[in-house]
Structure formats: structure tokens, C-alpha cells
Amino acid sequence: MEISPKKIDIGIQCEVLQREYIPPNIQSTFFHESEGWSIFYRSRTISLLIFMLVTLYITSYWFQSSTLQESAYIGYIFSFLAFCAYGGSYFPNTLIQRPHPLFWRLLQSWACVYMMSIVFLIYFTPEQLQQFLQQFVDPKLGRPLPSKSYAEDCRFYTPENEHSKFYNLTSSFDVFVPAHIFGWTVKMWILRDFKLAMFQQIAFEFMEITFRHWLPNFWECWWDHVILDIIVCNTGGIVVGYYTMKLFGMKEYKWSLRKENRKDSWFKNFKRLCLSPQLDKIEWKVFSSVKRFLLVIWFLVFMNLCDLSFFFNKFVLQINTAHNVMKFRVFPLGFFSIVAARDYYVYISDENVTRLGPNAWLMHAIVLGEWVLFFRNYQGIFVEKFPTYIIIIWIGIFTLFIITLISIWKRERRLNKLKQS
């Protein structure tokens, strides 16, 4: 008699995941705005495809040009829009959902196009690049920029002036002041840490002092650094960014190792309330290990590299700050930095994440690619040596960095020995 093999239920061996599948640990971090607004979260892929093709067909006849340069410029614009249409429909959602996932997918699309544009420009010689910018972007490009210094008259009090006794100060309040405030509001949304943002603004002011012998726009009066930049614009933007974070319940990243159950004196609590307001905390644990310390320091250095790249490249490529090329870079990159910073934070704080997030990777490719572009075109421009006092200060900073690194390494080694014993 044949004995039939006993069937054992071994469960599901594999599972086919849908494209919309999101792991629960990631999904739990999302803010589900779609409830009650489902009309804004439905796919429109077929309608978008038809609309895009019809638009391209109509505009190909509408924007006819007699010159090769204008045709290439228009073709680039609509190629960019077509790629954004695809990316907005099919790129994966980011770790940030508000105000809408489509907003962040479009920023990812822009970042991809911008990165490819930077790579494209890298392979021109300096002369060819200037010729390309003049012929295919704007004939006004490639001309020497007017050298403007903000430290020509650093007197704070001007009694002889008929308009104001503080004319040098009041005349500095122009359109760049609200733009400066908004810029630091966005940086607060990127950093999500009040103390770190205050430290970062002072660090960039020192960067301006470090490189002002190369970039004339970095020359500023003492009251411009202290009053306009640090107190009014930078701190004002940081405060606005903090309260908007609080208003919309945005997460805050904390870099310190302060214990949650520790009771401080009333003076420390009052000082913390005034100088470092608190939100829901995500601990960065900057001094917990050598690796974490280096990753956080790189985050700070990278932010300054991003800012400095803008000033150095516009100076080398001779592009005015108000030009549309600069606007195409500054505004989208500022908002894209928000989601890139979230990817970077998750990478260094979550032990289960072993790969750098796609947006953080793309951000690194863009900024470091801009620096490659700069080094390809800066020859013969920056020849003046650094002042002695700048070299001495940077030696002190580097020494402090090494001492801190050694201290963390010794502490980490001592803790590992205690765990083993």
C-alpha cells in the first residue's frame, strides 16, 4: 500500500510587493494628509501623458525660432518639463510628505536634471564654457561682474548725512534682507536644531571673513556682520523657521546627549527656554562615537560647501546673482536640501539603514560636482595668499578638532572595554 506524503503547510515563501508598498516602519513616520483630500492623491498617468504630448506638439510650432541658440534653449526647457512630468508620476515618495508628495518628487526630478547639467558643463574648457553660456543661455553672460564691497564706509554714526544719522545702516536694508531672512528660515527647516542653526550662521560669517580677500562681496563692516547678518537676518530667519516648525508639527533633530530625566536648575531651564526652545527631539548623539562625530562634522562642512559653491561659481563663471540661472539653482536646491538632510539623518541614526538615501546621494553629487566645475575654471583667478591671522585661526580650529576626536576615541575605547569585561 502506498503511503501518500504528508502535506505540511510551510506558509508563504515569497511575496510580490506592489509598487505602492511602503514598509510599516517607514509608513508610520508619514503624515497621512490624503485623508479627506483623496482627489489630490489619485494617479493621473494617462491623462498626464496625453496632456504632455499635446503640449509638446503645440509648442513645437508655437515657439519656432530662426536661430540654433534659441531652439536649443527652448528644447532644453521643454525636455526638463517632460522629465519632471515623468519623475512627478513615477519617482518614489520621500520620507517627507507635506505639503504633498508630488512636490518632493518634482524636486527630485529637478535635482536629476540639474546634476546632469553640471556634469555636461564640466567637460568644457573655461573658454568654451563662456562661449556656450553666451550663445545658448544668455548673450549678457560672460562679462566681468561689477566689483561691489560692503565695507567702503564702516561708520555706524553719520551725523552729517541729511537723510539719517545712521545712513550706512539704514541704507543696507534692501530687497536682500527679506531674501536673507527667508534663506535662513529654510536652513532652519533643513537643520531642525536651534543650537546647530545658531552655530552654523556664525560659522558661515567666519567663512566670509576667511575668503573675503578673494571675493569682494564678502567684505562687510563689523556692524553688517553682527547687526544685519547675525542678529537681524540670520537669527530672525532661524526664529521664523522654528515657529513654523512648531506650528506645523515638523520634527526637530537634536544633536546633544542631554538626558531626558535629568533635572536642571531653574536658571538653566530659563536659559534653555530663551536661547534653545525645544520641540519633539530626535537625538543625533554627536559625541557617542568617532564615526558619528565625523558624520555630523561632515554634515556641517557640507552645508558650508553648498553655500560657498554658489558664491565661488557665480564669481568664476561671471553670472550675476539676480540672473535666472542662479534662481534656477538657489530656490529648488534650498527646498531639496530639506529632504536630503532627512535622508542623511536616517542613514547615520538608523542602524538598519546601510545605504545613503537617494536624495542625500543626489545632493552630494550636485554640490561636489559644482566644486569640480569650479576647479575646472578657477585657474589664475585666486592668487592672493591667505592672511596670517586666518591661517592661525584655522590651525587652532583644526587642533581643537583633533583633540575632540582623540577624546571621543578614548572614551569609546574605554566603554567597549567595560562592556567586554
Side-chain angles (χ1 to χ4, degrees):
M1 182 179 66
E2 295 182 359
I3 301 176
S4 60
K6 185 178 180 180
K7 296 181 179 180
I8 301 176
D9 184 10
I10 59 175
I12 300 176
Q13 297 301 298
C14 63
E15 182 179 3
V16 179
L17 303 179
Q18 301 297 325
R19 191 184 72 86
E20 294 80 10
Y21 173 82
I22 302 175
N25 62 325
I26 300 299
Q27 190 176 20
S28 62
T29 65
F30 286 177
F31 182 89
H32 300 283
E33 301 95 333
S34 58
E35 297 179 4
W37 299 91
S38 59
I39 187 174
F40 298 109
Y41 289 82
R42 295 174 184 171
S43 299
R44 296 286 189 273
T45 53
I46 303 299
S47 302
L48 179 63
L49 177 62
I50 296 174
F51 175 78
M52 184 188 73
L53 294 175
V54 171
T55 302
L56 293 178
Y57 180 79
I58 294 175
T59 53
S60 65
Y61 289 96
W62 184 271
F63 293 101
Q64 286 187 347
S65 175
S66 58
T67 63
L68 174 64
Q69 291 80 1
E70 291 183 1
S71 297
Y73 181 79
I74 295 172
Y76 177 84
I77 296 298
F78 282 97
S79 298
F80 165 72
L81 295 177
F83 187 84
C84 287
Y86 172 80
S89 298
Y90 291 103
F91 275 11
N93 290 341
T94 66
L95 295 177
I96 300 178
Q97 291 284 85
R98 292 181 294 177
H100 194 285
L102 176 63
F103 175 75
W104 302 106
R105 294 199 297 266
L106 289 175
L107 281 178
Q108 291 182 77
S109 305
W110 166 88
C112 289
V113 174
Y114 183 68
M115 181 195 68
M116 290 185 288
S117 301
I118 293 297
V119 173
F120 175 74
L121 296 177
I122 286 175
Y123 290 91
F124 286 93
T125 64
E127 295 76 16
Q128 292 172 343
L129 181 57
Q130 292 296 335
Q131 184 179 1
F132 172 81
L133 292 176
Q134 291 177 356
Q135 293 184 1
F136 291 92
V137 180
D138 189 346
K140 298 179 181 179
L141 294 179
R143 300 176 182 178
L145 299 176
S147 180
K148 183 178 180 180
S149 174
Y150 296 94
E152 295 177 354
D153 186 1
C154 288
R155 291 181 301 160
F156 188 75
Y157 183 63
T158 54
E160 75 283 356
N161 193 283
E162 59 182 6
H163 299 287
S164 173
K165 294 183 179 181
F166 302 94
Y167 180 75
N168 290 337
L169 177 63
T170 57
S171 62
S172 299
F173 284 86
D174 51 17
V175 68
F176 290 102
V177 171
H180 203 160
I181 294 175
F182 179 73
W184 275 98
T185 299
V186 175
K187 285 187 179 181
M188 181 61 188
W189 297 340
I190 296 171
L191 295 168
R192 307 289 183 92
D193 186 292
F194 194 89
K195 291 180 180 178
L196 181 63
M198 297 296 290
F199 171 82
Q200 192 68 7
Q201 62 148 325
I202 297 175
F204 185 75
E205 294 300 320
F206 181 68
M207 291 296 169
E208 289 185 336
I209 296 174
T210 300
F211 296 106
R212 65 186 181 182
H213 62 290
W214 285 348
L215 301 177
N217 287 348
F218 279 2
W219 277 101
E220 296 178 348
C221 300
W222 67 267
W223 47 264
D224 200 340
H225 282 294
V226 177
I227 298 177
L228 284 182
D229 287 349
I230 295 179
I231 297 179
V232 177
C233 296
N234 299 358
T235 303
I238 291 170
V239 171
V240 172
Y242 161 71
Y243 280 107
T244 52
M245 287 172 57
K246 185 176 180 180
L247 178 63
F248 294 104
M250 300 164 65
K251 290 183 178 180
E252 184 184 13
Y253 311 146
K254 301 303 296 181
W255 298 68
S256 63
L257 287 177
R258 186 176 61 85
K259 297 181 179 179
E260 297 299 322
N261 298 325
R262 188 184 68 184
K263 293 183 179 180
D264 293 330
S265 64
W266 67 270
F267 176 75
K268 289 185 178 180
N269 289 329
F270 178 77
K271 184 175 69 172
R272 185 179 299 115
L273 176 65
C274 295
L275 300 180
S276 180
Q278 303 294 317
L279 292 172
D280 294 335
K281 293 168 284 297
I282 301 177
E283 298 292 346
W284 285 76
K285 300 181 180 179
V286 58
F287 299 110
S288 60
S289 66
V290 172
K291 179 181 178 181
R292 176 62 62 87
F293 176 73
L294 292 176
L295 289 173
V296 173
I297 291 298
W298 171 248
F299 180 76
L300 302 178
V301 172
F302 184 77
M303 283 200 65
N304 285 303
L305 288 176
C306 182
D307 291 335
L308 292 174
S309 172
F310 169 80
F311 292 100
F312 275 98
N313 274 299
K314 82 179 184 66
F315 184 82
V316 169
L317 302 180
Q318 300 177 348
I319 303 177
N320 193 280
T321 305
H323 198 276
N324 291 331
V325 171
M326 293 289 98
K327 296 176 182 178
F328 180 76
R329 188 262 189 194
V330 172
F331 292 102
L333 189 65
F335 286 99
F336 182 71
S337 300
I338 298 175
V339 68
R342 173 64 67 85
D343 277 6
Y344 187 80
Y345 168 76
V346 171
Y347 172 69
I348 72 172
S349 61
D350 192 339
E351 297 179 355
N352 297 319
V353 177
T354 58
R355 296 190 304 174
L356 186 65
N359 301 295
W361 188 96
L362 195 55
M363 187 71 185
H364 278 77
I366 289 173
V367 175
L368 299 181
E370 287 182 342
W371 279 104
V372 173
L373 180 64
F374 165 74
F375 286 115
R376 284 273 296 160
N377 294 273
Y378 87 103
Q379 289 86 354
I381 298 179
F382 304 109
V383 295
E384 188 177 351
K385 296 182 179 180
F386 283 94
T388 304
Y389 70 94
I390 293 295
I391 297 175
I392 294 174
I393 293 175
W394 274 108
I395 291 175
I397 293 175
F398 184 74
T399 303
L400 180 61
F401 169 77
I402 296 298
I403 293 174
T404 305
L405 189 65
I406 294 175
S407 301
I408 296 174
W409 175 74
K410 289 183 177 180
R411 176 179 174 273
E412 183 181 8
R413 185 180 180 185
R414 183 173 63 254
L415 291 176
N416 289 334
K417 289 182 178 180
L418 292 176
K419 290 180 180 179
Q420 293 177 358
S421 60

